[in-house]
Amino acid sequence: MHKAHRLLLLAAPALFAVTSAVAKEGPDQYPNGSENFMAGALPPPGNYFINYLGYYEGDYRDNKGNKVPGLSVSATFDALRFIHVTGNKILGGDWAVHAIVPVAYQRLHTPIPGIGSGSTFGLGDIVIDPIIIGWHFPPDWHLTVGLDIYLPTGKYDANDPTQSIGANYYSFEPIVAFTYLNQSGFEVSAKLMYNIKTKNNDTDYHSGQEFHMDYLVGQHFGPWGVGLAGYYLTQTTDDELAGRKVPPDGRRGKVFAYGPAVQYNHKGTSFIASWNHEVGVDNRFQGNKFFLKLVTGF
């Protein structure tokens, strides 16, 4: 799924202000923080639509967490997700499939000579998952697993990062999500993911693997839910350019984000709003992300 901000970098920090880009790290194809309430609970058999409308704005941080002058991004994005819960069982769980189609408007400011700043609008990387399985363990527990596949369908320009929205590589992402919701309305949910990327053949750049998760701790009362939600990401392997580790640290990124989330349910439709503030960032953009989310059946 498209991420609200782009990780568009140079091959080495020493080259940052004095030369043009020689490599580009792929963006997060998944918009971290998009799942919160009931993240691990697969709905009953049927067809569902989820719309994720978001905005992100941030400044880039280097491998020591320091702000890099002149490198910032803002993006408005919308992702349309279609889910079909089949009514068939696999290993005793409900079998579902989904597809996500993202679009985004992005503005990137860079200090790269000859490129500078620019904006673009276009399609992001489409996500498919042919095998989602969800179990329910009454009265309180829900568990869902899946394998998301990210396709390099997004707008991309190897020579101008300001015109790129897609990552230009495939990704494969195993998922485990759970929800605990007790009879008093107290909820704990988390979606755990591990992202494995292929190489960007246009740049010979191979972005590292990442563990990341969305989380929520909340309370439901009547049609309302309120909670603390956010995400955590840490890169587990080095970025590589032409088969060699990108100095000085493999450009390993990390981020933690937190903020409020509010849910309102009305006649089978859920409306969710959230704000995530990012802290503890290395080798990534650091900023704030806002989501408005609609969940409904059809």
Side-chain angles (χ1 to χ4, degrees):
M1 185 188 290
H2 165 77
K3 188 174 186 303
H5 55 280
R6 312 286 62 159
L7 302 184
L8 301 166
L9 315 176
L10 301 178
L15 300 175
F16 191 84
V18 296
T19 188
S20 61
V22 295
K24 168 185 175 293
E25 182 184 5
D28 288 343
Q29 294 164 305
Y30 176 81
N32 291 295
S34 58
E35 301 299 344
N36 38 57
F37 290 100
M38 304 299 290
L42 195 68
N47 297 303
Y48 300 89
F49 170 69
I50 305 178
N51 191 81
Y52 306 84
L53 176 64
Y55 176 78
Y56 179 84
E57 186 170 4
D59 301 302
Y60 193 77
R61 307 296 167 128
D62 64 17
N63 64 310
K64 298 184 184 299
N66 298 318
K67 181 179 176 180
V68 175
L71 184 54
S72 63
V73 69
S74 62
T76 301
F77 60 94
D78 192 58
L80 293 79
R81 181 182 181 191
F82 302 91
I83 305 170
H84 175 59
V85 184
T86 66
N88 297 317
K89 299 286 188 179
I90 298 178
L91 301 175
D94 295 315
W95 173 34
V97 298
H98 80 178
I100 304 169
V101 180
V103 294
Y105 172 79
Q106 172 191 283
R107 183 162 184 82
L108 180 69
H109 301 272
T110 87
I112 303 172
I115 293 180
S117 302
S119 60
T120 189
F121 173 80
L123 178 69
D125 290 342
I126 291 173
V127 187
I128 60 172
D129 193 329
I131 183 163
I132 303 168
I133 308 173
W135 295 269
H136 306 281
F137 304 100
D140 300 332
W141 288 92
H142 310 269
L143 177 67
T144 299
V145 300
L147 177 65
D148 279 355
I149 302 168
Y150 294 82
L151 310 176
T153 57
K155 184 178 181 182
Y156 177 78
D157 186 333
N159 298 313
D160 187 352
T162 70
Q163 298 305 302
S164 292
I165 293 174
N168 200 44
Y169 51 69
Y170 292 89
S171 290
F172 302 91
E173 187 164 81
I175 295 166
V176 177
F178 73 86
T179 290
Y180 170 79
L181 176 63
N182 67 22
Q183 302 305 301
S184 66
F186 176 70
E187 177 183 349
V188 177
S189 285
K191 180 180 180 182
L192 288 71
M193 298 155 280
Y194 193 81
N195 189 266
I196 303 166
K197 306 168 178 65
T198 62
K199 185 173 68 174
N200 183 340
N201 290 322
D202 287 355
T203 60
D204 206 17
Y205 199 100
H206 195 172
S207 297
Q209 300 175 15
E210 297 164 329
F211 167 78
H212 58 124
M213 63 177 290
D214 294 346
Y215 68 87
L216 170 115
V217 179
Q219 179 66 44
H220 296 262
F221 47 96
W224 292 92
V226 296
L228 175 70
Y231 48 92
Y232 170 75
L233 179 146
T234 184
Q235 188 170 325
T236 59
T237 65
D238 295 329
D239 283 10
E240 295 181 351
L241 177 62
R244 296 185 177 182
K245 174 182 174 180
V246 176
D249 64 344
R251 193 157 283 135
R252 295 198 182 204
K254 67 175 182 178
V255 61
F256 176 75
Y258 64 92
V262 179
Q263 179 187 51
Y264 177 69
N265 297 312
H266 180 69
K267 295 183 178 179
T269 299
S270 292
F271 304 90
I272 300 169
S274 63
W275 164 50
N276 294 141
H277 175 65
E278 295 179 328
V279 296
V281 177
D282 290 341
N283 289 318
R284 299 174 61 88
F285 287 102
Q286 176 176 310
N288 293 280
K289 187 182 298 181
F290 303 89
F291 277 105
L292 291 175
K293 180 178 172 182
L294 178 147
V295 184
T296 191
F298 64 94

